């Protein structure tokens, strides 16, 4: 079919009508009362997660948990008499795909964003959602760069890079380690934690950061990097990237005869890490991590519900994704509308909302007042709590 | 320093194995088979599936079992390579070079995301692992398993070299590389020889895939992408289309990466590697051992 100018014009006009129609539905009439049409329409939650690319494994954990929360809330009658609906889009852990996915969600008329895993991919989506007046509750991405934008529609419910670095430094000091090697994968999230930890270690008296080594993600062989690291004779290695490389690095350190401690950041906390590293290499490996279903008292019921529905264990960041949806529902209830500004005000006012990571209150920067990082240790084939760092 | 050399040679032997398929296919039909890295991925997954079907084995039997799996996998990926050529490349053989190149990229994505649809996005871990504690000689640390892997790689490459230089089949391949039309006039079944070239090249990539799976443990559907680019670089360094040159290129690339990481730091490793690729393409596009003037795509 050849598109004539007239056809182009009419389709554009129809599109325009649709978009403005959507806009009205989105923003409401500003008076707090919902229009008749909006009353029956679902409240749409948008979730950007990696469904393809290197971090594709994480996406389903997060969307499953979010869907679980949506279903639970809908079973109780929804929010403001309206049902919730979850729409996901793929960010492939990559800036360009994330921007495209965010635009797609915006045109689909999303009311609140509850996604964001890779910080490097989440960063470019902030202005896209911001321009459309959509509040963002980011469940997993936690680079300080997200906070430094100082955007009022952005809320982080995972501890930030600086909080994680502080926890890491605290544990390194507790262990009495002398020389620390920091390893990161050059992504926004990972580099941030490594450099912040390095800065904290520069304070006199404690351990010394002897090397900060960057690796290329998605490779299999890190022996060249490990040779560099071991040449500095560290007794503590802190890897701040994701679990795929983390497992390989732990294994290759062990194969190279390294006997000191290894610690990984929260992006590496996954049973797969232990599997990839192998039992001998993973045993006794530490991790800086926020609360997880496994280390949480009273989460057994939730784990059961998740297993029943998806026939698998809740993976990393499933609890944060679940909390993000519940928090979005709470904020809309408090605001009495899905209007962006009102939801933001409601989120800022929240105090003591119960999440997996504890009662929630946002700092003026829209991060968790209590970062809640703790130290886990690998025992057998999973992570167990080592030190709550209270 | 010896450690750096050993690291480089070990990684380099993988690059060389994968690069050979690239080089052979380029040599014979002037196609840069960008799906070649994904045949490496396919090999890793095929080996994983076969090992899963065999079930649990004691660790003392791990090495002989892996060698058996290696052979079966080479047949599987070899056939996959033949199918790929038949479906994606042969219908386009008379089309402009660019169409072939684009098809190759498409085939690469089809293999990657097809595998993701079948096996899922989660990385898998090999049930049989070559680990073992390391020993130290002249300041370099290595394991017996590493030696075996390098040995297998060298044996495969030597076998290939014999095939190409000493057999009728190899002579036919070389003849087609020079002039496919005249070869056909001389009574060579060009299509069959091209199919067999794909079989051999893909089988080598599959072998590398199983070896990487067993040694590193982790496999995932994207694992072929980066090694495909590295193998291409290795082939260009040594001389694409030239078999001994490609082997040399693989080992050199491994050494370059190892020393590059040491001199410049880890974050510069890929910059350095692909910088060398650009350097070769501009200064000496025929590579170190290449003689023919290659056409650039």
């Amino acid at each position: 079919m050849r598109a004539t100018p007239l056809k182009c014009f009419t389709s554009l006009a129809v599109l325009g009508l649709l978009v403005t129609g959507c806009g009205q539905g989105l923003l409401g009439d500003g008076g707090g009362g919902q229009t008749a049409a909006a009353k029956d329409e679902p409240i749409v939650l948008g979730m950007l997660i990696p469904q393809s690319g290197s971090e594709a494994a994480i996406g389903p954990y997060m969307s499953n948990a979010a869907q679980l929360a949506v279903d639970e809330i809908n079973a109780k009658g929804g929010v403001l008499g309206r049902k919730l609906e979850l729409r996901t889009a793929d960010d492939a852990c990559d800036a360009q795909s994330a921007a495209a996915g965010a635009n797609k969600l915006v045109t689909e008329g999303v009311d609140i964003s509850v996604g964001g895993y890779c910080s490097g991919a989440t960063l470019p989506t902030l202005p896209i959602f911001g321009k459309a007046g959509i509040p963002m509750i980011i469940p997993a991405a936690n680079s300080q760069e997200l906070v430094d934008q100082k955007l009022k529609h952005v809320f982080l419910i995972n501890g930030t890079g600086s909080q994680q670095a502080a926890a890491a430094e605290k544990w390194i000091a507790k262990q009495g380690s002398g020389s620390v090697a920091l390893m990161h994968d050059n992504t926004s999230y990972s580099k941030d934690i490594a450099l912040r930890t390095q800065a904290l270690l520069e304070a006199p008296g404690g351990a010394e950061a002897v090397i900060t080594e960057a690796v290329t993600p998605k490779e299999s062989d890190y022996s060249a990097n490990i040779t560099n690291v071991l040449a500095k004779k560290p007794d503590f290695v802190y890897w701040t990237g994701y679990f795929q490389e983390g497992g390989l690095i732990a294994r290759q350190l062990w194969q190279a005869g390294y006997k000191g401690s290894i610690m990984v950041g929260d992006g590496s906390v996954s049973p797969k890490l232990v599997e990839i590293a192998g039992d001998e290499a993973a045993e006794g490996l530490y991790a800086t991590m926020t609360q997880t279903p496994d280390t949480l008292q009273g989460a057994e019921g939730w784990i059961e519900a998740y297993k029943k529905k998806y026939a698998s264990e809740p993976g990393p960041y499933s609890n944060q994704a679940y909390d993000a949806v519940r928090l979005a529902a709470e904020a809309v209830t408090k605001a009495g509308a899905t209007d962006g500004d009102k939801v933001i005000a409601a989120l800022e006012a929240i105090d003591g909302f119960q999440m997996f990571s504890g009662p929630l209150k946002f700092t003026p920067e829209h991060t968790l007042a209590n970062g809640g990082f703790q130290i886990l240790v690998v025992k057998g084939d999973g992570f167990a709590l080592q030190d709550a760092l209270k | 320093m010896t450690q750096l050399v050993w690291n480089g040679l070990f990684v380099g032997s993988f690059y060389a194995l994968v690069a050979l398929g690239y080089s052979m296919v380029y040599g014979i039909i002037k196609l840069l088979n960008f799906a070649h890295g994904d045949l490496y991925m396919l090999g890793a997954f095929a080996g994983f599936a076969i090992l899963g079907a065999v079930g649990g084995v004691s660790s003392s039997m791990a090495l002989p079992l892996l060698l058996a799996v290696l052979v079966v996998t080479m047949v599987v990926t070899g056939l996959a390579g033949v199918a790929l050529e038949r479906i994606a490349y042969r219908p386009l053989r008379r089309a402009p070079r660019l169409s072939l190149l684009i098809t190759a990229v498409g085939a690469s994505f089809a293999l990657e995301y097809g595998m993701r649809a079948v096996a899922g996005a989660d990385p898998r871990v090999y049930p049989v692992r070559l680990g073992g504690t390391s020993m130290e000689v002249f300041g370099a640390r290595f394991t017996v398993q590493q030696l075996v892997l390098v040995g297998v790689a060298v044996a495969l490459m030597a076998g290939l070299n014999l095939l190409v230089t000493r057999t009728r089949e190899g002579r036919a391949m070389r003849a087609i590389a020079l002039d496919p039309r005249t070869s056909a006039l001389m009574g060579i079944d060009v299509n069959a020889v091209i199919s067999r070239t794909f079989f051999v090249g893909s089988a080598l990539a599959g072998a590398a895939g199983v070896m990487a799976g067993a040694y590193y443990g982790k496999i995932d559907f994207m694992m072929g992408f980066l090694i495909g680019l590295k193998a291409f670089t290795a082939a260009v360094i040594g001389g694409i289309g030239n078999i001994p040159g490609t082997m040399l290129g693989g080992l050199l690339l491994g050494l370059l990466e190892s020393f590059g990481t040491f001199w410049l730091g880890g974050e510069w490793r890929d910059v350095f590697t692909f910088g060398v690729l650009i350097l070769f393409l501009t200064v000496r596009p025929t590579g170190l051992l290449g003689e023919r003037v290659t056409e650039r795509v």
Side-chain angles (χ1 to χ4, degrees):
Chain A
M1 190 186 78
R2 270 185 68 227
T4 60
L6 183 65
K7 268 182 190 155
C8 283
F9 177 73
T10 27
S11 37
L12 272 180
V14 171
L15 191 71
L17 282 174
L18 280 174
V19 168
T20 43
C22 264
Q24 275 165 5
L26 250 182
L27 301 170
D29 57 4
Q34 300 290 322
T35 58
K39 193 84 187 140
D40 314 322
E41 279 173 12
I43 297 172
V44 186
L45 302 179
M47 190 171 218
L48 270 173
I49 39 171
Q51 291 170 325
S52 64
S54 60
E55 303 305 314
I58 295 289
Y61 295 138
M62 292 178 69
S63 59
N64 284 348
Q67 189 62 48
L68 187 67
V70 165
D71 292 347
E72 281 177 14
I73 292 164
N74 283 344
K76 286 183 194 149
V79 175
L80 307 176
R82 293 165 66 185
K83 295 275 183 208
L84 291 184
E85 188 188 321
L86 183 71
R87 296 246 174 106
T88 56
D90 186 14
D91 70 13
C93 197
D94 148 72
Q96 274 144 14
S97 312
N103 280 318
K104 175 173 167 267
L105 288 177
V106 169
T107 43
E108 282 179 7
V110 159
D111 295 297
I112 299 176
S113 158
V114 292
Y117 171 72
C118 294
S119 299
T122 308
L123 208 50
T125 69
L126 303 185
I128 298 172
F129 286 119
K131 229 178 214 171
I134 298 171
M136 297 177 74
I137 299 170
I138 300 178
N142 59 357
S143 164
Q144 190 70 26
E145 282 185 61
L146 299 167
V147 183
D148 290 345
Q149 308 281 314
K150 297 193 169 44
L151 295 169
K152 75 178 179 72
H153 70 288
V154 176
F155 293 84
L156 273 66
I157 61 167
N158 191 7
T160 59
S162 51
Q163 287 166 331
Q164 179 152 197
E169 193 264 343
K170 215 166 160 186
W171 182 246
I172 291 166
K174 250 185 171 176
Q175 291 287 95
S177 291
S179 49
V180 180
L182 299 161
M183 295 181 78
H184 64 86
D185 66 8
N186 253 331
T187 62
S188 166
Y189 150 78
S190 172
K191 195 171 177 178
D192 178 55
I193 300 172
L195 295 186
R196 272 165 207 283
T197 311
Q198 187 189 4
L200 288 175
L201 290 175
E202 269 161 16
E208 187 196 356
V210 285
I211 183 171
T212 302
E213 177 82 7
V215 310
T216 318
K218 293 168 205 169
E219 299 251 15
S220 308
D221 198 293
Y222 293 110
S223 51
N225 303 95
I226 282 166
T227 305
N228 276 0
V229 165
L230 294 187
K232 301 278 189 221
K233 307 212 181 309
D235 56 14
F236 198 104
V237 175
Y238 185 30
W239 160 252
T240 60
Y242 299 103
F243 68 91
Q244 301 213 7
E245 292 84 22
L248 291 172
I249 286 172
R251 183 171 185 82
Q252 289 169 23
L253 276 169
W254 172 76
Q255 278 178 333
Y258 173 70
K259 298 274 190 286
S261 307
I262 304 174
M263 183 159 78
V264 297
D266 58 347
S268 280
V269 177
S270 161
K272 276 279 174 199
L273 174 104
V274 184
E275 236 186 285
I276 294 169
D279 294 340
E280 320 94 322
E283 187 68 28
L285 177 139
Y286 302 116
T288 46
M289 184 64 184
T290 47
Q291 301 267 15
T292 70
D294 296 330
T295 61
L296 220 55
Q297 307 229 313
E300 294 85 2
W302 182 76
I303 295 176
E304 277 313 305
Y306 186 102
K307 271 195 196 161
K308 204 170 144 202
K309 187 150 185 208
Y310 300 108
S312 76
E313 293 274 340
Y317 294 100
S318 46
N319 51 320
Q320 281 94 338
Y322 179 82
D323 277 340
V325 172
R326 286 177 51 240
L327 179 61
E330 169 81 6
V332 173
T333 311
K334 283 269 163 65
T338 53
D339 175 68
D341 288 335
K342 286 185 182 154
V343 172
I344 290 167
L347 281 167
E348 281 174 338
I350 276 176
D351 190 358
F353 177 71
Q354 274 302 327
M355 299 205 307
F356 279 114
S357 58
L360 171 74
K361 182 168 172 53
F362 284 113
T363 61
E365 289 183 305
H366 294 180
T367 58
L368 296 183
N370 175 13
F373 275 98
Q374 47 186 4
I375 303 296
L376 307 184
V377 67
V378 174
K379 275 201 185 120
D381 52 5
F383 285 89
L385 184 63
Q386 168 81 21
D387 190 331
L389 288 185
K390 289 279 191 269
Chain B
M1 196 57 89
T2 34
Q3 183 71 59
L4 293 180
V5 174
W6 171 245
N7 289 345
L9 290 178
F10 181 68
V11 181
S13 57
F14 280 94
Y15 290 158
L17 265 187
V18 182
L20 281 170
Y22 247 110
S23 207
M24 289 170 72
V25 166
Y26 183 83
I28 199 158
I29 57 170
K30 302 286 175 289
L31 159 70
L32 291 175
N33 181 12
F34 278 117
H36 191 69
D38 298 301
L39 290 166
Y40 161 89
M41 177 272 295
L42 195 69
F45 273 92
F48 177 78
I50 298 165
L51 280 173
V54 171
V57 272
S58 64
S59 54
S60 62
M61 285 296 289
L63 212 51
L65 175 75
L66 274 174
L67 289 178
V69 170
L70 188 78
V71 174
V72 181
T73 305
M74 285 175 73
V75 175
V76 172
T77 47
L79 292 176
V82 171
L84 177 72
E85 191 265 338
R86 198 57 191 267
I87 296 165
Y89 302 145
R90 190 175 296 179
L92 286 167
R93 203 174 294 153
R94 286 177 202 291
R97 192 73 51 77
L98 188 62
S99 314
L100 262 175
L101 200 66
I102 293 167
T103 317
V105 174
S108 162
F109 281 121
L111 282 171
E112 278 165 15
Y113 288 90
M115 184 53 77
R116 187 188 136 197
V118 175
D122 253 350
R124 300 298 184 91
V125 178
Y126 256 53
V128 179
R129 302 284 291 268
L130 292 176
T133 40
S134 52
M135 51 178 120
E136 210 172 310
V137 175
F138 302 125
R141 223 171 237 288
F142 59 87
T143 63
V144 180
Q145 282 82 356
Q146 277 183 315
L147 280 183
V148 173
L149 290 184
V150 172
V152 171
V154 170
L156 286 172
M157 288 189 259
L160 176 74
N161 205 31
L162 278 182
L163 175 83
V164 173
T165 53
R166 294 271 186 276
T167 64
R168 269 174 71 85
E169 183 67 32
R171 208 179 313 145
M173 284 179 189
R174 283 178 287 145
I176 292 173
L178 277 179
D179 189 341
R181 196 184 273 176
T182 315
S183 310
L185 291 174
M186 295 297 181
I188 298 175
D189 185 347
V190 173
N191 278 339
V193 174
I194 290 177
S195 277
R196 285 197 279 268
T197 308
F198 266 89
F199 183 89
V200 175
S202 309
L204 292 178
V210 175
M211 282 160 45
Y215 181 72
Y216 297 115
K218 186 200 78 166
I219 59 171
D220 65 73
F221 70 99
M222 287 297 286
M223 67 189 281
F225 177 74
L226 203 55
I227 199 159
L229 287 180
K230 296 274 175 78
F232 171 62
T233 310
V236 169
I237 290 176
I240 193 159
N242 179 317
I243 293 196
T246 305
M247 296 179 198
L248 177 73
L251 295 180
L252 273 181
L253 183 67
L255 289 171
L256 272 175
E257 285 199 342
S258 177
F259 281 88
T261 308
F262 176 69
W263 288 325
L264 302 169
E267 62 267 56
W268 290 96
R269 171 169 161 181
D270 281 7
V271 180
F272 185 62
T273 303
F274 293 118
V276 170
L277 171 67
I278 294 170
L279 193 73
F280 265 91
L281 284 175
T282 45
V283 177
R284 194 176 162 82
T286 52
L288 289 176
L289 298 189
E291 286 141 27
R292 273 196 319 255
V293 178
T294 49
E295 286 176 75
R296 266 182 276 177
V297 182

